[in-house]
Amino acid sequence: MVTSDTALPSWNNCASHTAIIEFVQRVTSDGGADYVPPARRIAVFDNDGTLWCEQPAYAQLMFIIDRVRELVRDRPELARQPVVEHLRSGDLAGALNHGVTAVTDVLLQSHAGLTAEEFADDARAWLLSARHPERSVAFGDLVYLPMLELLDFLRANGFRVFVVTGGGVEFVRATSEEVYGIPPDDVIGSSVGLTFERREGRVELVRQPVLRGSPNEGEPKALNIQAHIGRRPILAAGNSSGDQEMLEYVQSGMLPSLCLLVDHDDAEREYRYAGRAITNPDAEPVLNVAARSDWTVVSMKNDWARIFSDQQGMQ
Amino acid sequence: MVTSDTALPSWNNCASHTAIIEFVQRVTSDGGADYVPPARRIAVFDNDGTLWCEQPAYAQLMFIIDRVRELVRDRPELARQPVVEHLRSGDLAGALNHGVTAVTDVLLQSHAGLTAEEFADDARAWLLSARHPERSVAFGDLVYLPMLELLDFLRANGFRVFVVTGGGVEFVRATSEEVYGIPPDDVIGSSVGLTFERREGRVELVRQPVLRGSPNEGEPKALNIQAHIGRRPILAAGNSSGDQEMLEYVQSGMLPSLCLLVDHDDAEREYRYAGRAITNPDAEPVLNVAARSDWTVVSMKNDWARIFSDQQGMQ
């Protein structure tokens, strides 16, 4: 077992650190009033902005942009669509001026027709090779080290850890095992529709340019946790309004619970911004919700001694 | 590790037994041409008729009938619907004369309004107490012993084992851990819609009288495996036409695979019948498909020395 003395070395001695250690001790103390059996120790983590960096744009969006560039090389007429031209040139703000739906359409079209296995191979190859636009490191190196330590600490204490992402489930799964130690089936996310096709005697599941269900943000996060896991988690971590309902759901279970909200307040070592929901940009600021809900806010600036594995500590 | 000498004691020495042992040896022989790393050793099992008895009716249907009886006690006017009256009196054939849709509607209505957690508690209590109508044992005792041994044998050899049921996922999950050693999140099945509701400050997920997506039979089994697990399994077991597409999908992957089809040919110790698909009753008989697809047919009569744990061996 990882003890509280050695766990979480990249965390400063602070209130959120204490809250985590105390919570895990409470629910694992056999015979204690708040003991939770291992089968019920389920933790759910948002991905973008909670486990890894989501600025200046989601990794998946960068992946799509690279794919759009490839597609335009083969079919230059595609670039006649203004939204495609903006994406191809990396002008996200310009692309979004055409509306979220127009961007989403390109996103859904960009990998339609690939089999599930072809897409997984593509996503994996991209994630292992692509570099962050503002830092000369691979996207996989922009995982928050304190969060990796937290995942390990929880698992060492009998927790099962799931990723619950607003991003595409197949994209995050492509490297979840090596980046987070989380197998693909423990990733819940937004999905595209697939069709069952027989091609030369083989069954292939082929990506369609449509979402399967709603994007996994807001209420759907709670609903999809139930659909996939079948039990209410006791720990949840998020960073945006899109995580609010998931945290409310976890907090209002009958078992003890801990809700963590990552605050991006470190302009120097990461980025400074308020975590918003894509599907509900006008939601109440999530830090306000956290304050009145008694969630544990994790200040990246004050609580984390290191953020990425390639940075020096700032103590 | 469970060795092939001690594993599967309830299986006779027969072709299906040999096929299983040889397949597991092939894919676990490190350095061999057919070696499959543990992360890819995924096995999927249909539930009704593959892991436990589904005759004279699905356990879940018996559960619903008991629920309908309760509902009618509180609201006698419900019994004026002929399909409800047939169900209440246990006359399944009569109920089905009103069409599958009419029966499904009652099924969906019967637990609407319960929270996900209330439903799980109800299903669990029923499964632990209800008795099979033709055998004086609990439903949980009508699990096939040779299949339990197979699940253990696979897990001992690094496989992850999932249930992929046409039945309701929440129903099967209610006891999957204690009956099969399979945690709730490793059960994939048909789902009902849920709504996210705030009740007195708590978030509850509430069952609606509608299916979420298609019933998990036929092509949806393959599509839902991809949606949930994200990887193509290498071993699949089924017993009906509703499992055909799942087995085809598994068989046509790039890795070595084994497809098992349980043949209910033992009228004396279990039941003798052809496994059909509910959603496609006119499908080609699945034993014909098995023969031309080179699937491994498991004869309950000839291959299994014992079927249930309360029976004597028949060697």
Side-chain angles (χ1 to χ4, degrees):
Chain A
M1 183 170 132
V2 178
T3 66
S4 49
D5 296 335
T6 56
L8 313 180
S10 300
W11 292 67
N12 290 323
N13 206 336
C14 61
S16 64
H17 178 263
T18 305
I20 291 167
I21 300 286
E22 285 186 355
F23 175 74
V24 170
Q25 284 175 340
R26 270 170 63 206
V27 300
T28 57
S29 294
D30 207 347
D34 286 339
Y35 177 75
V36 175
R40 299 271 166 179
R41 291 182 207 155
I42 293 169
V44 286
F45 285 76
D46 170 56
N47 188 42
D48 293 300
T50 299
L51 292 177
W52 74 9
C53 181
E54 64 180 356
Q55 294 291 341
Y58 298 122
Q60 188 165 8
L61 195 49
M62 311 302 293
F63 169 60
I64 305 277
I65 288 173
D66 281 354
R67 171 79 177 175
V68 165
R69 288 176 179 147
E70 265 178 48
L71 292 175
V72 168
R73 267 199 297 277
D74 294 345
R75 297 167 54 202
E77 72 278 10
L78 288 175
R80 275 185 230 131
Q81 294 175 250
V83 62
V84 169
E85 180 50 29
H86 280 116
L87 282 174
R88 194 178 67 90
S89 64
D91 176 9
L92 292 179
L96 283 167
N97 280 341
H98 299 279
V100 171
T101 308
V103 175
T104 307
D105 273 354
V106 176
L107 208 139
L108 288 169
Q109 291 288 349
S110 66
H111 291 89
L114 292 191
T115 69
E117 283 146 343
E118 288 166 348
F119 178 84
D121 289 345
D122 275 16
R124 188 181 155 72
W126 186 89
L127 277 161
L128 296 179
S129 66
R131 306 251 134 197
H132 186 270
E134 298 177 355
R135 295 167 188 260
S136 62
V137 296
F139 273 95
D141 290 331
L142 290 172
V143 174
Y144 305 137
L145 190 59
M147 286 310 222
L148 292 183
E149 294 167 0
L150 178 54
L151 302 184
D152 284 340
F153 179 60
L154 291 172
R155 285 185 288 238
N157 282 284
F159 279 75
R160 295 270 314 276
V161 177
F162 293 80
V163 173
V164 182
T165 177
V169 66
E170 310 283 12
F171 180 75
V172 177
R173 280 174 173 166
T175 56
S176 63
E177 184 111 48
E178 60 210 275
V179 174
Y180 302 130
I182 293 176
D185 55 294
D186 290 348
V187 179
I188 302 167
S190 302
S191 309
V192 302
L194 299 169
T195 52
F196 180 101
E197 297 184 12
R198 292 185 176 84
R199 291 181 173 178
E200 298 169 8
R202 294 193 64 214
V203 171
E204 295 291 2
L205 308 184
V206 181
R207 291 173 70 89
Q208 303 301 307
V210 290
L211 273 177
R212 172 184 157 122
S214 308
N216 190 38
E217 227 194 31
E219 294 184 0
K221 282 207 172 185
L223 298 168
N224 289 330
I225 286 170
Q226 174 60 27
H228 192 106
I229 306 178
R231 282 174 176 166
R232 195 190 293 237
I234 63 168
L235 187 152
N239 82 112
S240 85
S241 302
D243 303 314
Q244 177 179 330
E245 286 82 358
M246 173 171 80
L247 270 63
E248 288 182 82
Y249 170 57
V250 167
Q251 186 173 33
S252 62
M254 300 306 283
L255 297 173
S257 61
L258 180 67
C259 289
L260 301 173
L261 189 86
V262 175
D263 183 12
H264 296 271
D265 59 355
D266 192 330
E268 197 173 326
R269 295 184 303 167
E270 205 238 6
Y271 295 91
R272 184 181 180 88
Y273 64 100
R276 293 182 194 287
I278 301 254
T279 51
N280 183 14
D282 301 324
E284 179 184 359
V286 70
L287 279 169
N288 297 7
V289 180
R292 65 174 159 76
S293 305
D294 204 21
W295 296 342
T296 298
V297 174
V298 178
S299 157
M300 292 180 77
K301 182 170 178 170
N302 301 319
D303 296 2
W304 288 355
R306 297 174 67 184
I307 295 184
F308 303 117
S309 56
D310 65 339
Q311 285 174 339
Q312 297 298 317
M314 282 187 70
Q315 309 260 28
Chain B
M1 184 171 130
V2 178
T3 67
S4 51
D5 296 336
T6 57
L8 312 181
S10 300
W11 292 67
N12 291 322
N13 206 338
C14 60
S16 63
H17 178 264
T18 304
I20 291 167
I21 300 286
E22 285 185 357
F23 175 73
V24 171
Q25 284 175 341
R26 272 170 62 208
V27 299
T28 57
S29 294
D30 206 348
D34 286 338
Y35 177 75
V36 176
R40 299 271 167 181
R41 291 181 207 155
I42 292 169
V44 286
F45 285 76
D46 169 56
N47 188 41
D48 294 300
T50 299
L51 291 178
W52 74 8
C53 181
E54 65 180 354
Q55 294 291 340
Y58 299 122
Q60 188 165 7
L61 195 49
M62 310 303 293
F63 169 60
I64 306 278
I65 288 174
D66 281 353
R67 171 79 176 173
V68 166
R69 287 177 179 148
E70 263 177 48
L71 292 175
V72 168
R73 265 198 298 277
D74 293 344
R75 298 168 53 202
E77 72 277 11
L78 289 175
R80 275 184 228 133
Q81 292 175 254
V83 62
V84 169
E85 180 50 29
H86 279 116
L87 282 173
R88 194 177 68 90
S89 64
D91 175 10
L92 292 178
L96 284 167
N97 280 341
H98 299 278
V100 171
T101 309
V103 175
T104 307
D105 274 353
V106 176
L107 208 139
L108 288 168
Q109 292 288 350
S110 65
H111 291 89
L114 293 190
T115 68
E117 283 147 343
E118 288 166 346
F119 179 84
D121 289 344
D122 275 15
R124 187 181 155 72
W126 187 89
L127 278 161
L128 296 180
S129 66
R131 306 251 134 195
H132 186 272
E134 299 177 354
R135 294 168 189 259
S136 60
V137 296
F139 273 96
D141 290 332
L142 289 173
V143 174
Y144 305 137
L145 190 59
M147 287 310 224
L148 291 183
E149 293 168 3
L150 177 55
L151 301 184
D152 283 340
F153 179 60
L154 292 171
R155 284 186 288 238
N157 282 282
F159 279 75
R160 295 269 315 274
V161 177
F162 293 79
V163 173
V164 181
T165 178
V169 66
E170 310 283 13
F171 179 76
V172 176
R173 280 173 174 168
T175 56
S176 64
E177 185 111 49
E178 60 209 275
V179 175
Y180 302 130
I182 294 177
D185 55 293
D186 290 349
V187 179
I188 302 166
S190 302
S191 307
V192 302
L194 298 170
T195 52
F196 180 100
E197 297 184 12
R198 292 185 176 86
R199 293 182 173 178
E200 298 169 9
R202 295 192 64 213
V203 170
E204 295 291 0
L205 308 183
V206 180
R207 292 173 70 90
Q208 302 301 306
V210 290
L211 273 176
R212 173 183 156 122
S214 307
N216 191 38
E217 228 195 30
E219 293 183 1
K221 282 205 172 187
L223 298 168
N224 289 331
I225 286 169
Q226 174 61 29
H228 191 107
I229 306 179
R231 283 174 174 164
R232 196 191 292 239
I234 63 168
L235 187 152
N239 82 112
S240 84
S241 303
D243 302 314
Q244 177 179 331
E245 287 82 357
M246 173 171 80
L247 270 64
E248 288 183 81
Y249 169 58
V250 167
Q251 186 173 34
S252 63
M254 301 305 283
L255 297 173
S257 61
L258 180 67
C259 289
L260 301 173
L261 189 85
V262 175
D263 182 12
H264 296 271
D265 58 355
D266 193 330
E268 196 174 326
R269 295 185 303 169
E270 205 239 6
Y271 294 91
R272 185 182 180 87
Y273 64 99
R276 294 183 195 287
I278 300 253
T279 50
N280 183 13
D282 301 324
E284 180 185 359
V286 71
L287 279 168
N288 298 7
V289 180
R292 64 173 160 75
S293 304
D294 206 20
W295 294 342
T296 298
V297 174
V298 177
S299 157
M300 292 181 78
K301 182 171 179 167
N302 300 319
D303 295 3
W304 287 355
R306 297 175 67 183
I307 295 184
F308 303 116
S309 56
D310 65 339
Q311 287 174 338
Q312 296 299 317
M314 281 188 69
Q315 312 256 28

